[in-house]
Amino acid sequence: MIYDIIIIGAGPAAATFARRVAASGKSILIIDGQSDVRPKPCGGLLAPDAQKLFAHFDFVLPKDVLVDPQIFSVKTIDLVSRRVRYYQRYYMNMNRLAFDRFLLSLIPENMQILQGRCLKAEKRNGLFELEILAAGEKQSLQCRKLIGADGAESIVRRSFFKSMPMQYIAIQQWFRHNDASNPFYSCIFDAKTSESCSWMIYKDEYVIYGGCFAKKGSRAAFDEQKSRLEQFLKQDFGEAVKTEACLVNRPRKMSDFITGKGGVYLIGEAAGFISASSFEGISSAIKSGSLLADAFLQHDDEKSIAKAYHRSTLPLRCKLMTKTVKRWFMYTPWVRDILLRTGISSIALSPDNDIK
Ligand SMILES: Cc1cc2nc3c(=O)[nH]c(=O)nc-3n(C[C@H](O)[C@H](O)[C@H](O)COP(=O)(O)OP(=O)(O)OC[C@H]3O[C@@H](n4cnc5c(N)ncnc54)[C@H](O)[C@@H]3O)c2cc1C
């Protein structure tokens, strides 16, 4: 069988695209590389932009996708200047795997989802030929159009477009905690170990601590930063119950965003759609998945789809470029120091609360 469309990946970008094109009558297959033992490493925060898209689609979020506690502020810590500020935030705190499964549950049941990994993708005689590893066995699949929704490690992007944005290694550890006296979402800056930010987020009985690090020496930098944070907080994380790592993109220029051509299209982080300042990517994944679906619903030939999708993502691409400017303000140590010292747009904690 030759599928009309094969989608590699089953994250928010893929789930949104698949849900919206389901009614088109095309034969569609999703290859899902995520599993309970190999979930996507993520902070699991649903940002206001993503919440707005939920409003746009008239979605509600079931309570079993959420975790404790819900968050109203971010505690920003600079480990070098040792300054701390609090800023109001409107994130929803979620279990990321449950969130992805929820989005997939919105796709009509007759759409096929294959648990497996794409090992190779190439174009031959006008068709895409894929080598898939599923249930321990290799198989070949063919399709007319191919969607790369496979995140920062995108085999689709590497196979057909070569150029990748600058990338970091995101490392995240899970610890058990029995102390909810500090239930903040914390954002940690430490210019000594990372040129990006790290995060500490409570999730039910766990606290996750993670960050983005230069590829070379990433694990050593993570360990050093964790120990510097433990000293600063006077808190020992204890034994990690889980360590996760994956690549994360940091787009720096317009050409880092690739939307696709020749029957191959990229959505979500595979296309480079992620904030360079906060690494928030769920909203861009949903947005781009939906925009590509619009292009598929309006056009049939590959050139028109590519053109319409590229054009419709211009506002998204421009918005993400502004994040690179925001990044300069957030990550240039002397600029951050002025912002933290002056406390612009920060909130004061009530003197009678006992949160450290
Ligand atoms: C550590 C970390 C924390 C983050 N925290 C947040 C956050 O709190 N909030 C937020 O908005 N964003 C966050 N992001 C960014 C966000 O997770 C991504 O930008 C977003 O998930 C991108 O969605 P996507 O659908 O494009 O791809 P992904 O969610 O990355 O999904 C890609 C899917 O493709 C699958 N896949 C990959 N390769 C293959 C293959 N060869 N074959 C088959 N399947 C494959 C993967 O298993 C995965 O399920 C974080 C990123 C990282 C790394």
Side-chain angles (χ1 to χ4, degrees):
M1 167 172 185
I2 301 171
Y3 289 92
D4 290 323
I5 304 171
I6 291 186
I7 307 166
I8 310 293
T16 306
F17 173 78
R19 179 180 56 78
R20 296 221 39 236
V21 293
S24 66
K26 294 187 165 41
S27 56
I28 303 173
L29 175 70
I30 301 176
I31 313 283
D32 183 6
Q34 181 164 226
S35 65
D36 293 349
V37 288
R38 198 175 168 175
K40 158 87 187 171
C42 186
L45 296 180
L46 196 69
D49 281 352
Q51 294 173 30
K52 198 170 170 186
L53 287 166
F54 265 57
H56 170 72
F57 292 124
D58 199 17
F59 282 172
V60 290
L61 208 56
K63 72 174 187 315
D64 48 353
V65 168
L66 301 179
V67 294
D68 262 351
Q70 290 307 310
I71 295 158
F72 300 99
S73 72
V74 56
K75 176 180 181 178
T76 301
I77 303 170
D78 189 314
L79 291 179
V80 175
S81 68
R82 304 184 80 77
R83 292 189 199 283
V84 175
R85 288 280 180 190
Y86 299 85
Y87 299 90
Q88 190 171 11
R89 284 293 178 271
Y90 305 91
Y91 297 123
M92 300 185 80
N93 196 4
M94 313 182 296
N95 172 327
R96 174 60 200 267
L97 185 61
F99 176 72
D100 283 7
R101 294 293 182 237
F102 164 68
L103 289 182
L104 284 180
S105 76
L106 303 175
I107 298 172
E109 272 177 19
N110 58 359
M111 191 177 289
Q112 258 184 286
I113 302 180
L114 177 68
Q115 279 285 333
R117 287 200 77 76
C118 176
L119 304 178
K120 200 170 159 194
E122 56 189 4
K123 194 170 186 182
R124 262 198 234 146
N125 305 323
L127 288 177
F128 294 98
E129 300 210 351
L130 310 177
E131 188 178 290
I132 307 292
L133 182 67
E137 295 203 352
K138 283 188 186 169
Q139 52 178 285
S140 295
L141 294 173
Q142 287 185 318
C143 61
R144 293 185 181 85
K145 295 193 178 80
L146 179 64
I147 315 294
D150 43 353
E153 324 221 346
S154 180
I155 191 168
V156 178
R157 180 164 175 156
R158 276 184 282 123
S159 304
F160 295 97
F161 301 100
K162 312 291 181 233
S163 88
M164 302 299 283
M166 180 187 181
Q167 295 186 315
Y168 294 114
I169 306 255
I171 304 178
Q172 190 167 269
Q173 285 190 323
W174 292 68
F175 305 90
R176 275 189 190 282
H177 81 88
N178 46 20
D179 168 22
S181 65
N182 196 0
F184 274 109
Y185 155 43
S186 302
C187 183
I188 299 113
F189 293 92
D190 182 27
K192 192 164 184 292
T193 49
S194 167
E195 58 183 35
S196 292
C197 64
S198 297
W199 52 88
M200 189 171 124
I201 308 167
Y202 284 75
K203 290 201 180 267
D204 290 337
E205 68 270 37
Y206 298 101
V207 56
I208 55 174
Y209 170 62
C212 299
F213 299 88
K215 283 184 180 175
K216 198 166 170 227
S218 57
R219 185 56 202 259
F222 172 83
D223 288 337
E224 187 186 342
Q225 190 185 91
K226 187 173 73 175
S227 127
R228 282 164 60 75
L229 180 64
E230 285 177 324
Q231 281 170 25
F232 181 81
L233 295 176
K234 299 187 180 60
Q235 175 185 336
D236 184 359
F237 282 116
E239 190 81 16
V241 289
K242 189 164 62 169
T243 302
E244 306 168 313
C246 67
L247 291 174
V248 63
N249 286 333
R250 175 192 154 190
R252 293 193 294 177
K253 50 191 187 309
M254 268 297 196
S255 59
D256 284 336
F257 305 119
I258 296 179
T259 51
K261 61 176 182 189
V264 194
Y265 310 95
L266 301 176
I267 50 179
E269 208 180 322
F273 296 145
I274 183 169
S275 162
S277 56
S278 65
F279 296 104
E280 190 275 321
I282 293 174
S283 67
S284 303
I286 294 174
K287 182 78 187 169
S288 56
S290 183
L291 292 173
L292 182 62
D294 285 338
F296 266 75
L297 294 172
Q298 286 158 16
H299 305 277
D300 215 34
D301 67 292
E302 52 187 50
K303 268 195 182 153
S304 305
I305 293 173
K307 211 170 149 190
Y309 175 52
H310 187 71
R311 200 183 313 120
S312 69
T313 55
L314 182 63
L316 175 63
R317 287 179 280 134
C318 291
K319 185 175 133 190
L320 291 173
M321 282 316 291
T322 67
K323 303 290 182 183
T324 63
V325 179
K326 186 175 177 195
R327 189 184 160 95
W328 185 83
F329 284 97
M330 279 172 70
Y331 294 103
T332 304
W334 65 266
V335 181
R336 183 170 62 242
D337 199 45
I338 292 173
L339 295 174
L340 288 176
R341 198 160 0 119
T342 53
I344 297 166
S345 72
S346 68
I347 51 168
L349 278 196
S350 161
D352 57 9
N353 80 46
D354 59 358
I355 294 170
K356 290 181 275 282

